[in-house]
Amino acid sequence: MRILMLRVIAILVTFIGLYMLSQFVTYQMDPYYFQVLIECGVYIILAVSLNLINGITGQFSIGHAGFFAVGAYVGAAWTMIWQPMVVERYSFLQMGTLHGDILNLLIALILGMTSAGMAGFVVGLPSLRLRGDYLAIATLGFAEVIYVLLLNINSVGGARGLNGIPTLISSGNLALFWVFLFVIISIVLSRNIMQSVRGLTWLSVREDEIAADAMGVDTTKVKVTAFVIGSALAGAAGVLYAHFLTGISPDIFSMNTSILITTMVVLGGSGSVTGSVIAAIVLIVLPEVLRFLKNDRMVIYSVLLIVMMLTRPQGIFGTKEIGFPKWRRKQPKTEGRSA
Amino acid sequence: MATQTAEDGGAIRIMSVLEMRDVTKKFGGLAAVSGLNLVVEPGELLGLIGPNGAGKTTVFNLITGVYKPSSGDVLFQGMRVNGLRPCRIASSGICRTFQNIRLFKQLNVLDNVRIAAHLHTKANLLDSILRNNRLMTNDRELTEFSLMILRSLKLEDVSDQRSSDLPYGLQRRLEIARAIATKPRLLLLDEPAAGMNPQEKVELMELVRSVRRDYQLTILLIEHDMRVVMGICERIYVLDYGELIAEGKPEAIRKDPRVLSAYLGE
Ligand SMILES: Nc1ncnc2c1ncn2[C@@H]1O[C@H](COP(=O)(O)OP(=O)(O)O)[C@@H](O)[C@H]1O
Ligand SMILES: [Mg+2]
């Protein structure tokens, strides 16, 4: 009962906090910083969700931009194409009011996440037979297929993409609220999975698949589940990106993006949620900070990455976490032992 | 040999825990195991010995579903299990250790055991995500259970060490602890004493004897060193070049000329 109460309070505080933050920031901040902040949030979701697949279950998937794209385009297709087709019949879908916008955003999120999750299932299933490099190539191939498809489907704008997507935040600006709500959801979800005994079985797949199998871990199910959840979250990131930065084009979801997200996970330390979050922020903010260097900036950026990987190949955080209370035993400890 | 199962009708017999019927496994042209018949009765501590490359580990891989037999059947408690995936076989009650240790290296000792204990979890993934009461109670029980197993294998002092940091002997013991945590009916130990000195081997065999009693296990034990199994196993199977060359009580095996020549000719 007490736990339930605490949770309700925590959820309320989170909602109110996010709402206030979103109100405050939106009206105080330079639109440029605002955009960087949204991008940060979106990429945190992407990195944390890829970490679920790469870091926690150890499948080297590097085509995350594909799932990001599916979410973004399906979500945008709802608000720009499908919603206008049905709104005459179902007037409660009208945009422009607070509840109308929230409803439409929720529908876009559900559609975007479901289709990205299904794509994750479709990619994840055959990938079970593939390991290491082959899986990496297959996932990257998937992302390229999506990219080429988007370039060639005229109803979603081809190379120009979709622009002027309704922001769905007309009554009070709630963009940050939604983005950071999903940031929190993806972090808490990863944390909770990792802290449960069932979640440990996900780690066991990364550690030694044959041994995991021999201990009764259904490795197939673990991998597909991780793929589906990770992709669905990437889909949510896509929906949020499309609506709050109001435009998408295939180039946003190119191979570079896939590589960027993978870099975030590896740089942060595969398996560390904290690492993924920090690396996502660094890799989004750093190029902006280095903007004064003009053309040299990508060179400096690459050099920084290389130095980083040479000096700390396990990533910034290794597999460590900040703020995850470890499950401690009550029993007194003998000294001289490290965790 | 008690090769009958319940389906024979007739006189009531206790069903064998494990039965391998004419099992052959070929790798290309090489038959790693050929025409093997093997029966494990409830409560037995059975030895499987043979020179290096005789096919012992392959037998374990066939029982646990890592390999499918080229021909023949594997029956566990009267049910055919060949063709099932390893995780299904493990959850039906067969668990093993690995000759070349396969711990979850980056995880600590307790987590290694808790992963095996997950087979008895009653909480699903949604419970994990919501972290609800069912999950908390369930995980606490699994943790208690895992600690109990660590205690009985004298590993509780190292429970929060990274498993790869353990000394070799303790890693072997952790492999056994982990396998026990799945609550198997049949435990398969693949050279659990490999790489140990004679003193450590004796201690390990004592440990095997005590876990067998404490957890009412049926055990099939692979050992390369014939002397080690002689003292502890009630019955022994001897493999050479994938074929069964002898089966019987330790005293008989010790004197069997074919066994002697297989070992001497090694
Ligand atoms: N996956 C495999 N592919 C090819 N040959 C194998 C494989 N596994 C085992 N073998 C061969 O089968 C024979 C028996 O091996 P193994 O069962 O490991 O022997 P033991 O455990 O008795 O030392 C060896 O000759 C080995 O090379
Ligand atoms: Mg062997």
Side-chain angles (χ1 to χ4, degrees):
Chain A
M1 251 352 256
R2 230 187 76 225
I3 294 181
L4 194 67
M5 281 267 291
L6 285 176
R7 285 219 181 147
V8 171
I9 292 170
I11 291 171
L12 278 178
V13 168
T14 311
F15 269 69
I16 293 167
L18 282 174
Y19 177 76
M20 307 233 292
L21 173 92
S22 146
Q23 292 293 308
F24 177 77
V25 170
T26 310
Y27 295 117
Q28 303 290 322
M29 206 180 229
D30 187 305
Y32 164 70
Y33 290 118
F34 180 73
Q35 181 168 342
V36 173
L37 200 56
I38 299 255
E39 252 183 76
C40 264
V42 166
Y43 275 88
I44 291 175
I45 302 169
L46 289 168
V48 170
S49 61
L50 182 63
N51 182 56
L52 217 51
I53 303 172
N54 271 20
I56 299 183
T57 66
Q59 307 173 80
F60 202 55
S61 161
I62 56 173
H64 218 47
F67 305 112
F68 181 32
V70 170
Y73 272 86
V74 171
W78 166 257
T79 33
M80 290 191 77
I81 302 167
W82 299 325
Q83 191 267 2
M85 281 159 44
V86 293
V87 70
E88 300 206 340
R89 210 125 58 82
Y90 306 100
S91 55
F92 60 90
L93 289 173
Q94 202 78 47
M95 292 177 207
T97 59
L98 182 61
H99 64 265
D101 279 1
I102 292 179
L103 180 65
N104 277 293
L105 186 61
L106 285 177
I107 294 173
L109 277 168
I110 290 169
L111 292 177
M113 289 177 77
T114 312
S115 30
M118 287 189 326
F121 183 77
V122 170
V123 175
L125 215 62
S127 303
L128 289 170
R129 303 197 170 277
L130 307 173
R131 244 144 263 243
D133 308 345
Y134 297 104
L135 176 61
I137 291 165
T139 50
L140 199 59
F142 158 76
E144 279 301 291
V145 168
I146 296 286
Y147 174 71
V148 172
L149 276 179
L150 293 175
L151 276 180
N152 291 294
I153 299 176
N154 288 326
S155 59
V156 291
R160 278 174 298 108
L162 293 169
N163 287 298
I165 301 167
T167 53
L168 298 178
I169 42 173
S170 52
S171 317
N173 200 328
L174 289 175
L176 286 174
F177 172 87
W178 286 104
V179 171
F180 283 89
L181 180 65
F182 269 86
V183 166
I184 291 172
I185 288 175
S186 49
I187 293 174
V188 169
L189 185 128
S190 300
R191 182 202 98 122
N192 284 2
I193 289 178
M194 278 172 82
Q195 286 199 331
S196 69
V197 171
R198 182 172 292 279
L200 284 174
T201 66
W202 288 33
L203 291 170
S204 77
V205 174
R206 173 189 81 191
E207 293 293 308
D208 190 325
E209 212 180 313
I210 293 178
D213 213 351
M215 297 305 127
V217 176
D218 190 337
T219 55
T220 308
K221 200 166 146 194
V222 166
K223 289 183 187 177
V224 173
T225 311
F227 246 106
V228 170
I229 296 181
S231 316
L233 284 174
V239 174
L240 298 173
Y241 188 100
H243 287 91
F244 300 141
L245 296 178
T246 69
I248 46 176
S249 64
D251 280 340
I252 295 169
F253 309 100
S254 69
M255 194 192 290
N256 286 339
T257 305
S258 284
I259 291 170
L260 177 63
I261 306 168
T262 312
T263 311
M264 288 169 178
V265 173
V266 176
L267 185 73
S270 285
S272 167
V273 180
T274 318
S276 300
V277 174
I278 307 254
I281 296 171
V282 169
L283 291 191
I284 293 301
V285 173
L286 202 60
E288 303 298 333
V289 174
L290 294 177
R291 219 169 253 283
F292 70 92
L293 291 168
K294 307 228 166 54
N295 289 337
D296 297 334
R297 107 189 139 110
M298 287 326 277
V299 177
I300 304 279
Y301 176 75
S302 316
V303 169
L304 279 178
L305 275 185
I306 291 168
V307 169
M308 171 72 213
M309 292 322 287
L310 286 177
T311 50
R312 230 184 127 68
Q314 72 275 45
I316 304 174
F317 278 83
T319 53
K320 292 195 186 63
E321 300 289 356
I322 293 178
F324 284 26
K326 253 274 172 208
W327 193 328
R328 283 268 157 245
R329 298 189 287 134
K330 273 151 238 134
Q331 195 176 313
K333 282 262 38 71
T334 39
E335 74 278 349
R337 299 253 146 78
S338 60
Chain B
M1 263 201 290
T3 46
Q4 279 139 297
T5 53
E7 72 210 39
D8 291 14
I12 297 170
R13 227 177 223 295
I14 300 168
M15 200 188 292
S16 327
V17 174
L18 182 83
E19 204 180 325
M20 297 180 82
R21 289 183 183 163
D22 201 19
V23 173
T24 297
K25 177 67 193 175
K26 292 202 174 103
F27 292 112
L30 172 96
V33 172
S34 49
L36 179 66
N37 287 295
L38 182 146
V39 180
V40 185
E41 300 295 350
E44 260 191 319
L45 173 45
L46 196 65
L48 180 59
I49 66 172
N52 261 328
K56 306 181 295 294
T57 300
T58 305
V59 170
F60 275 17
N61 285 331
L62 288 165
I63 298 172
T64 54
V66 177
Y67 299 148
K68 290 180 182 41
S70 310
S71 64
D73 277 324
V74 180
L75 289 91
F76 176 58
Q77 300 182 325
M79 297 229 299
R80 255 187 59 164
V81 293
N82 45 316
L84 292 186
R85 289 188 298 152
C87 62
R88 291 280 157 265
I89 294 180
S91 50
S92 75
I94 302 181
C95 201
R96 70 178 292 182
T97 64
F98 293 91
Q99 181 178 355
N100 46 344
I101 301 174
R102 278 183 175 274
L103 292 172
F104 305 123
K105 292 198 182 68
Q106 293 191 60
L107 305 182
N108 70 22
V109 169
L110 176 60
D111 286 348
N112 266 270
V113 178
R114 288 205 293 179
I115 286 166
H118 98 280
L119 267 185
H120 313 290
T121 186
K122 288 173 215 81
N124 57 31
L125 184 63
L126 192 62
D127 295 327
S128 289
I129 292 171
L130 298 177
R131 234 175 149 58
N132 58 15
N133 271 337
R134 175 150 49 142
L135 185 275
M136 299 306 258
T137 319
N138 183 72
D139 276 14
R140 206 173 304 125
E141 280 168 14
L142 294 180
T143 306
E144 292 297 324
F145 171 70
S146 306
L147 283 171
M148 193 260 293
I149 286 174
L150 286 178
R151 227 169 283 132
S152 72
L153 281 132
K154 303 195 182 60
L155 284 166
E156 76 269 33
D157 287 343
V158 292
S159 67
D160 57 5
Q161 279 195 34
R162 252 167 78 117
S163 62
S164 59
D165 292 346
L166 291 184
Y168 182 77
L170 293 191
Q171 291 197 16
R172 286 241 171 257
R173 221 187 294 162
L174 178 54
E175 277 250 340
I176 300 177
R178 189 178 64 173
I180 291 174
T182 64
K183 294 193 195 165
R185 178 93 175 74
L186 174 64
L187 177 63
L188 308 175
L189 301 174
D190 196 345
E191 305 207 18
M196 294 184 173
N197 65 36
Q199 170 64 23
E200 287 171 329
K201 282 191 180 182
V202 171
E203 279 171 24
L204 190 96
M205 289 305 149
E206 269 316 308
L207 187 78
V208 169
R209 223 196 292 258
S210 75
V211 297
R212 173 201 185 194
R213 191 185 51 234
D214 296 348
Y215 297 98
Q216 285 123 44
L217 293 166
T218 302
I219 298 180
L220 178 56
L221 178 128
I222 290 184
E223 183 48 61
H224 171 69
D225 184 347
M226 193 158 56
R227 274 161 307 182
V228 176
V229 274
M230 290 297 168
I232 171 176
C233 296
E234 289 114 24
R235 206 156 62 86
I236 293 172
Y237 280 84
V238 189
L239 278 184
D240 192 21
Y241 293 112
E243 290 193 36
L244 190 65
I245 58 168
E247 182 267 325
K249 295 225 177 324
E251 309 83 63
I253 295 293
R254 208 193 310 263
K255 295 190 208 96
D256 193 303
R258 290 184 67 187
V259 177
L260 288 176
S261 75
Y263 267 86
L264 289 175
E266 196 188 341

PDB file of all heavy atoms in Angstrom, chain B residues 27 30-33 50-59 61 67 99 190-191 222 239, ligand 1:
ATOM      1  N   PHE B  27      29.591 -36.324 -37.032  1.00  0.00           N
ATOM      2  CA  PHE B  27      30.060 -35.019 -37.503  1.00  0.00           C
ATOM      3  C   PHE B  27      30.783 -35.289 -38.809  1.00  0.00           C
ATOM      4  O   PHE B  27      31.895 -35.814 -38.800  1.00  0.00           O
ATOM      5  CB  PHE B  27      31.032 -34.393 -36.506  1.00  0.00           C
ATOM      6  CG  PHE B  27      30.396 -33.999 -35.212  1.00  0.00           C
ATOM      7  CD1 PHE B  27      30.708 -34.659 -34.033  1.00  0.00           C
ATOM      8  CD2 PHE B  27      29.472 -32.959 -35.164  1.00  0.00           C
ATOM      9  CE1 PHE B  27      30.126 -34.288 -32.833  1.00  0.00           C
ATOM     10  CE2 PHE B  27      28.885 -32.590 -33.969  1.00  0.00           C
ATOM     11  CZ  PHE B  27      29.209 -33.258 -32.803  1.00  0.00           C
ATOM     12  N   LEU B  30      32.844 -38.536 -39.205  1.00  0.00           N
ATOM     13  CA  LEU B  30      33.230 -39.066 -37.901  1.00  0.00           C
ATOM     14  C   LEU B  30      32.016 -39.311 -37.004  1.00  0.00           C
ATOM     15  O   LEU B  30      31.187 -38.428 -36.818  1.00  0.00           O
ATOM     16  CB  LEU B  30      34.161 -38.061 -37.218  1.00  0.00           C
ATOM     17  CG  LEU B  30      34.526 -38.349 -35.766  1.00  0.00           C
ATOM     18  CD1 LEU B  30      35.851 -39.079 -35.704  1.00  0.00           C
ATOM     19  CD2 LEU B  30      34.567 -37.060 -34.971  1.00  0.00           C
ATOM     20  N   ALA B  31      31.909 -40.554 -36.495  1.00  0.00           N
ATOM     21  CA  ALA B  31      30.838 -40.822 -35.532  1.00  0.00           C
ATOM     22  C   ALA B  31      31.376 -40.556 -34.123  1.00  0.00           C
ATOM     23  O   ALA B  31      32.151 -41.336 -33.588  1.00  0.00           O
ATOM     24  CB  ALA B  31      30.364 -42.264 -35.658  1.00  0.00           C
ATOM     25  N   ALA B  32      30.980 -39.401 -33.558  1.00  0.00           N
ATOM     26  CA  ALA B  32      31.468 -39.040 -32.220  1.00  0.00           C
ATOM     27  C   ALA B  32      30.840 -39.951 -31.173  1.00  0.00           C
ATOM     28  O   ALA B  32      31.443 -40.253 -30.150  1.00  0.00           O
ATOM     29  CB  ALA B  32      31.162 -37.583 -31.920  1.00  0.00           C
ATOM     30  N   VAL B  33      29.594 -40.376 -31.453  1.00  0.00           N
ATOM     31  CA  VAL B  33      28.900 -41.341 -30.598  1.00  0.00           C
ATOM     32  C   VAL B  33      28.216 -42.320 -31.525  1.00  0.00           C
ATOM     33  O   VAL B  33      27.558 -41.910 -32.480  1.00  0.00           O
ATOM     34  CB  VAL B  33      27.834 -40.642 -29.723  1.00  0.00           C
ATOM     35  CG1 VAL B  33      26.990 -41.660 -28.995  1.00  0.00           C
ATOM     36  CG2 VAL B  33      28.490 -39.703 -28.718  1.00  0.00           C
ATOM     37  N   GLY B  50      36.077 -42.298 -20.023  1.00  0.00           N
ATOM     38  CA  GLY B  50      36.657 -42.619 -21.318  1.00  0.00           C
ATOM     39  C   GLY B  50      37.793 -41.678 -21.600  1.00  0.00           C
ATOM     40  O   GLY B  50      37.848 -40.593 -21.031  1.00  0.00           O
ATOM     41  N   PRO B  51      38.692 -42.087 -22.487  1.00  0.00           N
ATOM     42  CA  PRO B  51      39.829 -41.231 -22.827  1.00  0.00           C
ATOM     43  C   PRO B  51      39.353 -39.946 -23.501  1.00  0.00           C
ATOM     44  O   PRO B  51      38.191 -39.836 -23.904  1.00  0.00           O
ATOM     45  CB  PRO B  51      40.637 -42.076 -23.823  1.00  0.00           C
ATOM     46  CG  PRO B  51      40.076 -43.447 -23.767  1.00  0.00           C
ATOM     47  CD  PRO B  51      38.695 -43.354 -23.246  1.00  0.00           C
ATOM     48  N   ASN B  52      40.262 -38.993 -23.632  1.00  0.00           N
ATOM     49  CA  ASN B  52      39.941 -37.752 -24.337  1.00  0.00           C
ATOM     50  C   ASN B  52      39.434 -38.032 -25.745  1.00  0.00           C
ATOM     51  O   ASN B  52      39.989 -38.876 -26.432  1.00  0.00           O
ATOM     52  CB  ASN B  52      41.200 -36.893 -24.437  1.00  0.00           C
ATOM     53  CG  ASN B  52      41.206 -35.827 -23.359  1.00  0.00           C
ATOM     54  OD1 ASN B  52      40.133 -35.351 -22.977  1.00  0.00           O
ATOM     55  ND2 ASN B  52      42.379 -35.477 -22.874  1.00  0.00           N
ATOM     56  N   GLY B  53      38.387 -37.305 -26.140  1.00  0.00           N
ATOM     57  CA  GLY B  53      37.860 -37.470 -27.486  1.00  0.00           C
ATOM     58  C   GLY B  53      36.986 -38.702 -27.646  1.00  0.00           C
ATOM     59  O   GLY B  53      36.595 -39.054 -28.756  1.00  0.00           O
ATOM     60  N   ALA B  54      36.630 -39.356 -26.528  1.00  0.00           N
ATOM     61  CA  ALA B  54      35.828 -40.571 -26.604  1.00  0.00           C
ATOM     62  C   ALA B  54      34.378 -40.268 -26.955  1.00  0.00           C
ATOM     63  O   ALA B  54      33.645 -41.151 -27.401  1.00  0.00           O
ATOM     64  CB  ALA B  54      35.894 -41.316 -25.272  1.00  0.00           C
ATOM     65  N   GLY B  55      33.939 -39.024 -26.768  1.00  0.00           N
ATOM     66  CA  GLY B  55      32.557 -38.665 -27.087  1.00  0.00           C
ATOM     67  C   GLY B  55      31.710 -38.372 -25.862  1.00  0.00           C
ATOM     68  O   GLY B  55      30.491 -38.258 -25.961  1.00  0.00           O
ATOM     69  N   LYS B  56      32.336 -38.221 -24.707  1.00  0.00           N
ATOM     70  CA  LYS B  56      31.577 -38.006 -23.474  1.00  0.00           C
ATOM     71  C   LYS B  56      30.800 -36.689 -23.495  1.00  0.00           C
ATOM     72  O   LYS B  56      29.606 -36.654 -23.224  1.00  0.00           O
ATOM     73  CB  LYS B  56      32.531 -38.023 -22.265  1.00  0.00           C
ATOM     74  CG  LYS B  56      33.391 -39.283 -22.196  1.00  0.00           C
ATOM     75  CD  LYS B  56      34.296 -39.278 -20.979  1.00  0.00           C
ATOM     76  CE  LYS B  56      35.357 -38.189 -20.969  1.00  0.00           C
ATOM     77  NZ  LYS B  56      36.390 -38.299 -21.996  1.00  0.00           N
ATOM     78  N   THR B  57      31.506 -35.618 -23.831  1.00  0.00           N
ATOM     79  CA  THR B  57      30.829 -34.317 -23.869  1.00  0.00           C
ATOM     80  C   THR B  57      29.726 -34.322 -24.925  1.00  0.00           C
ATOM     81  O   THR B  57      28.659 -33.731 -24.738  1.00  0.00           O
ATOM     82  CB  THR B  57      31.846 -33.191 -24.139  1.00  0.00           C
ATOM     83  OG1 THR B  57      32.804 -33.199 -23.085  1.00  0.00           O
ATOM     84  CG2 THR B  57      31.184 -31.837 -24.203  1.00  0.00           C
ATOM     85  N   THR B  58      29.985 -35.003 -26.014  1.00  0.00           N
ATOM     86  CA  THR B  58      28.965 -35.105 -27.064  1.00  0.00           C
ATOM     87  C   THR B  58      27.690 -35.762 -26.517  1.00  0.00           C
ATOM     88  O   THR B  58      26.585 -35.361 -26.868  1.00  0.00           O
ATOM     89  CB  THR B  58      29.512 -35.889 -28.273  1.00  0.00           C
ATOM     90  OG1 THR B  58      30.719 -35.278 -28.710  1.00  0.00           O
ATOM     91  CG2 THR B  58      28.519 -35.909 -29.412  1.00  0.00           C
ATOM     92  N   VAL B  59      27.865 -36.758 -25.649  1.00  0.00           N
ATOM     93  CA  VAL B  59      26.696 -37.393 -25.026  1.00  0.00           C
ATOM     94  C   VAL B  59      25.880 -36.350 -24.260  1.00  0.00           C
ATOM     95  O   VAL B  59      24.653 -36.272 -24.384  1.00  0.00           O
ATOM     96  CB  VAL B  59      27.124 -38.544 -24.082  1.00  0.00           C
ATOM     97  CG1 VAL B  59      25.946 -39.041 -23.262  1.00  0.00           C
ATOM     98  CG2 VAL B  59      27.739 -39.682 -24.883  1.00  0.00           C
ATOM     99  N   ASN B  61      25.859 -33.142 -24.793  1.00  0.00           N
ATOM    100  CA  ASN B  61      25.245 -32.226 -25.753  1.00  0.00           C
ATOM    101  C   ASN B  61      24.014 -32.841 -26.418  1.00  0.00           C
ATOM    102  O   ASN B  61      23.072 -32.133 -26.775  1.00  0.00           O
ATOM    103  CB  ASN B  61      26.269 -31.806 -26.807  1.00  0.00           C
ATOM    104  CG  ASN B  61      27.262 -30.801 -26.256  1.00  0.00           C
ATOM    105  OD1 ASN B  61      26.939 -30.032 -25.354  1.00  0.00           O
ATOM    106  ND2 ASN B  61      28.471 -30.810 -26.787  1.00  0.00           N
ATOM    107  N   TYR B  67      22.976 -30.717 -29.468  1.00  0.00           N
ATOM    108  CA  TYR B  67      22.993 -31.447 -30.747  1.00  0.00           C
ATOM    109  C   TYR B  67      21.758 -32.327 -30.841  1.00  0.00           C
ATOM    110  O   TYR B  67      21.254 -32.808 -29.836  1.00  0.00           O
ATOM    111  CB  TYR B  67      24.215 -32.374 -30.834  1.00  0.00           C
ATOM    112  CG  TYR B  67      25.557 -31.708 -30.761  1.00  0.00           C
ATOM    113  CD1 TYR B  67      26.628 -32.368 -30.187  1.00  0.00           C
ATOM    114  CD2 TYR B  67      25.760 -30.429 -31.288  1.00  0.00           C
ATOM    115  CE1 TYR B  67      27.885 -31.768 -30.120  1.00  0.00           C
ATOM    116  CE2 TYR B  67      27.011 -29.830 -31.221  1.00  0.00           C
ATOM    117  CZ  TYR B  67      28.062 -30.501 -30.639  1.00  0.00           C
ATOM    118  OH  TYR B  67      29.291 -29.922 -30.575  1.00  0.00           O
ATOM    119  N   GLN B  99      32.378 -28.415 -19.328  1.00  0.00           N
ATOM    120  CA  GLN B  99      33.778 -28.796 -19.155  1.00  0.00           C
ATOM    121  C   GLN B  99      34.691 -27.559 -19.237  1.00  0.00           C
ATOM    122  O   GLN B  99      35.524 -27.344 -18.375  1.00  0.00           O
ATOM    123  CB  GLN B  99      34.163 -29.804 -20.238  1.00  0.00           C
ATOM    124  CG  GLN B  99      35.589 -30.280 -20.148  1.00  0.00           C
ATOM    125  CD  GLN B  99      35.894 -31.312 -21.222  1.00  0.00           C
ATOM    126  OE1 GLN B  99      35.011 -31.727 -21.974  1.00  0.00           O
ATOM    127  NE2 GLN B  99      37.139 -31.732 -21.292  1.00  0.00           N
ATOM    128  N   ASP B 190      30.100 -32.236 -16.217  1.00  0.00           N
ATOM    129  CA  ASP B 190      31.113 -32.544 -17.221  1.00  0.00           C
ATOM    130  C   ASP B 190      32.506 -32.229 -16.667  1.00  0.00           C
ATOM    131  O   ASP B 190      32.900 -31.063 -16.606  1.00  0.00           O
ATOM    132  CB  ASP B 190      30.856 -31.744 -18.501  1.00  0.00           C
ATOM    133  CG  ASP B 190      31.626 -32.310 -19.688  1.00  0.00           C
ATOM    134  OD1 ASP B 190      32.558 -33.109 -19.463  1.00  0.00           O
ATOM    135  OD2 ASP B 190      31.283 -31.958 -20.836  1.00  0.00           O
ATOM    136  N   GLU B 191      33.219 -33.244 -16.271  1.00  0.00           N
ATOM    137  CA  GLU B 191      34.555 -33.117 -15.694  1.00  0.00           C
ATOM    138  C   GLU B 191      34.647 -32.000 -14.659  1.00  0.00           C
ATOM    139  O   GLU B 191      35.431 -31.059 -14.817  1.00  0.00           O
ATOM    140  CB  GLU B 191      35.605 -32.910 -16.810  1.00  0.00           C
ATOM    141  CG  GLU B 191      35.545 -34.018 -17.839  1.00  0.00           C
ATOM    142  CD  GLU B 191      36.882 -34.256 -18.544  1.00  0.00           C
ATOM    143  OE1 GLU B 191      37.913 -33.826 -18.019  1.00  0.00           O
ATOM    144  OE2 GLU B 191      36.862 -34.907 -19.605  1.00  0.00           O
ATOM    145  N   ILE B 222      30.732 -37.039 -15.753  1.00  0.00           N
ATOM    146  CA  ILE B 222      31.820 -37.361 -16.680  1.00  0.00           C
ATOM    147  C   ILE B 222      33.128 -37.135 -15.966  1.00  0.00           C
ATOM    148  O   ILE B 222      33.291 -36.137 -15.270  1.00  0.00           O
ATOM    149  CB  ILE B 222      31.789 -36.441 -17.923  1.00  0.00           C
ATOM    150  CG1 ILE B 222      30.598 -36.768 -18.791  1.00  0.00           C
ATOM    151  CG2 ILE B 222      33.090 -36.576 -18.722  1.00  0.00           C
ATOM    152  CD1 ILE B 222      30.551 -35.973 -20.075  1.00  0.00           C
ATOM    153  N   LEU B 239      33.243 -45.203 -22.408  1.00  0.00           N
ATOM    154  CA  LEU B 239      33.191 -44.925 -23.851  1.00  0.00           C
ATOM    155  C   LEU B 239      34.597 -44.929 -24.423  1.00  0.00           C
ATOM    156  O   LEU B 239      35.541 -44.496 -23.765  1.00  0.00           O
ATOM    157  CB  LEU B 239      32.609 -43.534 -24.100  1.00  0.00           C
ATOM    158  CG  LEU B 239      31.109 -43.309 -24.108  1.00  0.00           C
ATOM    159  CD1 LEU B 239      30.842 -41.847 -24.473  1.00  0.00           C
ATOM    160  CD2 LEU B 239      30.416 -44.221 -25.093  1.00  0.00           C
TER     161      LEU B 239
HETATM  162  N1  LIG C   1      30.814 -29.752 -33.014  1.00  0.00           N
HETATM  163  C1  LIG C   1      31.672 -30.689 -33.432  1.00  0.00           C
HETATM  164  N2  LIG C   1      32.066 -30.739 -34.713  1.00  0.00           N
HETATM  165  C2  LIG C   1      32.954 -31.679 -35.148  1.00  0.00           C
HETATM  166  N3  LIG C   1      33.487 -32.613 -34.366  1.00  0.00           N
HETATM  167  C3  LIG C   1      33.153 -32.617 -33.070  1.00  0.00           C
HETATM  168  C4  LIG C   1      32.236 -31.661 -32.526  1.00  0.00           C
HETATM  169  N4  LIG C   1      32.080 -31.909 -31.204  1.00  0.00           N
HETATM  170  C5  LIG C   1      32.870 -32.962 -30.931  1.00  0.00           C
HETATM  171  N5  LIG C   1      33.498 -33.403 -32.038  1.00  0.00           N
HETATM  172  C6  LIG C   1      34.408 -34.533 -32.122  1.00  0.00           C
HETATM  173  O1  LIG C   1      33.812 -35.624 -31.488  1.00  0.00           O
HETATM  174  C7  LIG C   1      34.763 -36.372 -30.760  1.00  0.00           C
HETATM  175  C8  LIG C   1      34.339 -36.508 -29.329  1.00  0.00           C
HETATM  176  O2  LIG C   1      34.462 -35.269 -28.683  1.00  0.00           O
HETATM  177  P1  LIG C   1      34.000 -35.036 -27.182  1.00  0.00           P
HETATM  178  O3  LIG C   1      32.622 -35.498 -27.014  1.00  0.00           O
HETATM  179  O4  LIG C   1      34.281 -33.607 -26.847  1.00  0.00           O
HETATM  180  O5  LIG C   1      35.014 -35.972 -26.379  1.00  0.00           O
HETATM  181  P2  LIG C   1      35.293 -36.072 -24.827  1.00  0.00           P
HETATM  182  O6  LIG C   1      34.377 -35.157 -24.113  1.00  0.00           O
HETATM  183  O7  LIG C   1      35.045 -37.502 -24.483  1.00  0.00           O
HETATM  184  O8  LIG C   1      36.715 -35.701 -24.628  1.00  0.00           O
HETATM  185  C9  LIG C   1      36.096 -35.654 -30.927  1.00  0.00           C
HETATM  186  O9  LIG C   1      36.821 -36.308 -31.927  1.00  0.00           O
HETATM  187  C10 LIG C   1      35.698 -34.277 -31.364  1.00  0.00           C
HETATM  188  O10 LIG C   1      36.688 -33.715 -32.178  1.00  0.00           O
END
